Amino acid sequence: MASQSANLWVLLGLGLAGIFLVTRKLRKAVREDFGAFIEKLQLLPPPPPPPPKAPHPLTGLTFAVSDVFDIDGHETGFGHPDWVKTHEKASWTSPVVTTLVEGGATCIGKTVVDELAYGISGENKHYGTPDNPAASGRLPGGSSSGAAVAVAANLVDFSLGVDTVGGVRIPAGFCGILGFRPSHGAVSHVGVIPISTSLDTIGWFAKDPNILRRVGHVLLQLPYAVQRSPRQIIIADDCFQHLKIPVDRVAQVVIKSTEMLFGRQILKHENVEGYLESKVPSLKEFHSKKSNGEFKTSSTSLIANVMQFLQRYEFKQNHAEWISLVKPVLDPAISAQIYETLEIPDTVIENYRSIRDEMRSAIHFLLKDDGILVIPTIADPPPKLGGKEILSESYQSRACSLLSIASVSGCCQIAIPLGFHNKCPISVSFIARHGGDRFLLDTVHTMYTSLQEQVDIASKSKVSKNVVSKEQSAEIAKEKSLTNSARCAK
């Protein structure tokens, strides 16, 4: 009897061990794609033309699309199961996706977005938060989190996302890859779920600047043009003060690369706060002052407020009826904004739109046809999973102050990886005037290798400084020991 009981316990133990191993294998299988994909599919390009005709421009490349792009016969989920339940499958494919497939690329799936593509964290409680391949245990950034992760994990060559208030730039920065937000209106939004019409852009991710540019040439339908070198590269000194890592670690990399490629004479420095305050007169109506008149809200903070307001206001215009009818359960951080009552007079709306127009003119006047504005992509490293840091007012303020420059002006911006600091990706951004997309893509393509070389030099310099300091410390300790011995001898 005791023997049978012992055998029973052995079998039970083996059974539990088996269940544990199967569960572990299943977990591994589920996360093989880093949780990036909602659905796998395949859209194949047409056969390549026979020689001597040139192959399709994107031949051999694979891509994924965020779950806001329509694909014929597939559900467009918008990051929420209630949206899927209340909408039919798409009856056609978004022209932007079709253009890429016809250009020779193969689409392999749809990727995770924040709930209703509204947040900036990349979290989604319904479909799971994609794993950040560049910083394990940290947020991937949103709204186009899955699309960024698919590229960062080498699952695709490039991917599509929507950038409204940073939906491409933030995850590019958090995942250590390139992310391009084109000029507002440069790429068709047909067949894409809208978030905020006056801010939405169709952006894309890549690791290789050549692929980023090739995709740009196809989507932007850019005619051939002789490549121009920048005549001005402007460092936004005050924007770099937002950074939570050493400023020199980012700004000096850009400065050194610029000096080597184009010469020191094209480098300029600008206080963006003061510049926008003088060039965007409609902001004056939104300046808040203390009673003693000593404090006023910064111009970039005000522009960030404009961006956040337009996002909420236009999102509700697009989706308030559905939200009211379906009453979807939303993440508290998102629902607080979406359900907030916005009773704003028409005159105020017009003033916001004036700010947007003045911003575009101001950036154009600053950069002209051949200038680049350099800012941090985002001030903070990617927050840890499960933390509340990204929801704090100070975090949001720092992030939105930087992101609002391109979002409100409608200018184009590229997030560029610059290595790591404390095991977290670092990113810098280049901004060009509205319509300067080709110039911006070309400039980043030209500078990318040099920038990465400067990153390596900066990293090695830091290591060598640490080595020197250790040697110096040892030498000082040795000298102290000899001195003490001499004193004892006396």
Side-chain angles (χ1 to χ4, degrees):
M1 192 73 178
S3 175
Q4 287 179 343
S5 179
N7 289 336
L8 186 64
W9 281 110
V10 168
L11 288 171
L12 183 60
L14 288 171
L16 289 171
I19 291 168
F20 174 75
L21 287 171
V22 169
T23 304
R24 207 164 74 173
K25 282 181 181 177
L26 282 171
R27 270 189 200 152
K28 187 178 178 184
V30 168
R31 303 306 287 191
E32 267 179 3
D33 65 0
F34 289 80
F37 286 88
I38 289 283
E39 178 187 6
K40 295 286 184 71
L41 52 88
Q42 197 171 59
L43 300 181
L44 296 172
K53 289 183 179 180
H56 299 305
L58 302 178
T59 294
L61 299 182
T62 58
F63 73 103
V65 300
S66 293
D67 195 22
V68 293
F69 291 83
D70 287 340
I71 293 180
D72 187 16
H74 297 266
E75 295 159 340
T76 309
F78 206 18
H80 204 293
D82 286 346
W83 185 271
V84 175
K85 291 173 188 173
T86 54
H87 289 79
E88 299 292 327
K89 290 181 178 180
S91 58
W92 72 319
T93 299
S94 168
V96 69
V97 177
T98 302
T99 298
L100 292 169
V101 173
E102 289 175 352
T106 300
C107 180
I108 69 164
K110 305 186 85 170
T111 54
V112 175
V113 294
D114 277 273
E115 283 187 337
L116 308 183
Y118 197 89
I120 67 170
S121 69
E123 296 174 289
N124 191 308
K125 65 185 178 185
H126 308 289
Y127 302 110
T129 301
D131 302 326
N132 186 336
S136 180
R138 292 182 179 266
L139 292 173
S143 61
S144 305
S145 52
V149 167
V151 169
N154 298 311
L155 303 174
V156 290
D157 296 301
F158 68 94
S159 59
L160 288 183
V162 172
D163 191 304
T164 304
V165 299
V168 166
R169 291 165 290 168
I170 294 171
F174 281 4
C175 294
I177 58 175
L178 291 157
F180 182 55
R181 174 195 164 93
S183 297
H184 184 261
V187 180
S188 170
H189 285 254
V190 176
V192 184
I193 299 174
I195 295 100
S196 173
T197 312
S198 69
L199 302 174
D200 290 346
T201 58
I202 306 302
W204 53 97
F205 303 94
K207 274 190 169 180
D208 183 340
N210 184 47
I211 292 176
L212 194 80
R213 186 171 67 159
R214 283 165 64 188
V215 172
H217 286 189
V218 171
L219 288 184
L220 298 164
Q221 299 180 353
L222 297 171
Y224 174 78
V226 176
Q227 186 168 331
R228 307 190 319 272
S229 294
R231 291 189 181 180
Q232 282 192 104
I233 291 187
I234 302 169
I235 310 295
D237 289 331
D238 54 327
C239 290
F240 279 95
Q241 298 311 311
H242 292 292
L243 269 180
K244 292 299 175 183
I245 63 169
V247 174
D248 285 353
R249 180 64 183 78
V250 184
Q252 283 301 315
V253 165
V254 177
I255 289 168
K256 293 288 186 186
S257 176
T258 301
E259 288 176 346
M260 289 189 67
L261 291 172
F262 309 115
R264 188 176 297 179
Q265 70 280 359
I266 76 163
L267 278 165
K268 311 289 180 188
H269 292 265
E270 185 66 68
N271 183 312
V272 171
E273 291 278 355
Y275 177 80
L276 294 178
E277 191 172 329
S278 65
K279 295 293 183 182
V280 186
S282 295
L283 279 176
K284 289 175 184 174
E285 293 187 31
F286 295 90
H287 277 295
S288 61
K289 296 186 178 183
K290 288 183 180 178
S291 56
N292 59 13
E294 290 180 2
F295 172 80
K296 61 182 180 180
T297 306
S298 70
S299 55
T300 50
S301 294
L302 289 169
I303 292 163
N305 291 341
V306 170
M307 177 184 76
Q308 291 171 305
F309 168 80
L310 286 172
Q311 182 195 22
R312 288 199 303 274
Y313 178 76
E314 293 177 348
F315 183 93
K316 292 185 80 165
Q317 282 189 315
N318 288 318
H319 304 299
E321 186 178 340
W322 177 81
I323 290 169
S324 176
L325 182 67
V326 176
K327 295 179 174 57
V329 176
L330 299 171
D331 183 271
I334 295 174
S335 64
Q337 295 186 55
I338 289 176
Y339 288 114
E340 180 186 355
T341 303
L342 292 175
E343 295 179 0
I344 307 293
D346 290 342
T347 52
V348 174
I349 301 298
E350 286 307 309
N351 193 266
Y352 280 126
R353 288 174 177 152
S354 296
I355 290 170
R356 188 181 60 204
D357 295 341
E358 290 168 10
M359 272 285 292
R360 184 173 299 182
S361 297
I363 300 297
H364 196 155
F365 185 80
L366 176 67
L367 302 178
K368 301 180 174 59
D369 288 337
D370 45 23
I372 299 287
L373 181 66
V374 182
I375 67 170
T377 302
I378 192 160
D380 297 72
K384 292 179 180 177
L385 284 166
K388 301 297 181 186
E389 178 188 358
I390 201 166
L391 302 176
S392 72
E393 190 175 335
S394 60
Y395 191 104
Q396 294 274 330
S397 176
R398 286 191 299 275
C400 292
S401 291
L402 295 169
L403 296 162
S404 62
I405 296 172
S407 284
V408 176
S409 69
C411 296
C412 48
Q413 177 175 340
I414 296 182
I416 307 164
L418 293 185
F420 293 79
H421 178 76
N422 291 338
K423 298 182 179 179
C424 288
I426 300 171
S427 180
V428 74
S429 272
F430 287 5
I431 296 174
R433 66 164 179 84
H434 182 271
D437 302 72
R438 179 169 199 141
F439 166 68
L440 183 58
L441 286 164
D442 287 347
T443 299
V444 170
H445 184 263
T446 298
M447 293 186 68
Y448 188 79
T449 300
S450 174
L451 287 167
Q452 302 313 310
E453 287 171 354
Q454 291 302 319
V455 167
D456 289 342
I457 291 168
S459 300
K460 288 172 184 174
S461 173
K462 182 182 175 184
V463 170
S464 65
K465 283 177 184 176
N466 289 340
V467 170
V468 169
S469 64
K470 286 176 184 177
E471 289 172 350
Q472 287 174 337
S473 296
E475 194 64 34
I476 290 166
K478 185 179 177 182
E479 286 177 6
K480 281 184 177 178
S481 177
L482 290 170
T483 303
N484 290 336
S485 297
R487 281 176 182 167
C488 289
K490 287 180 181 178

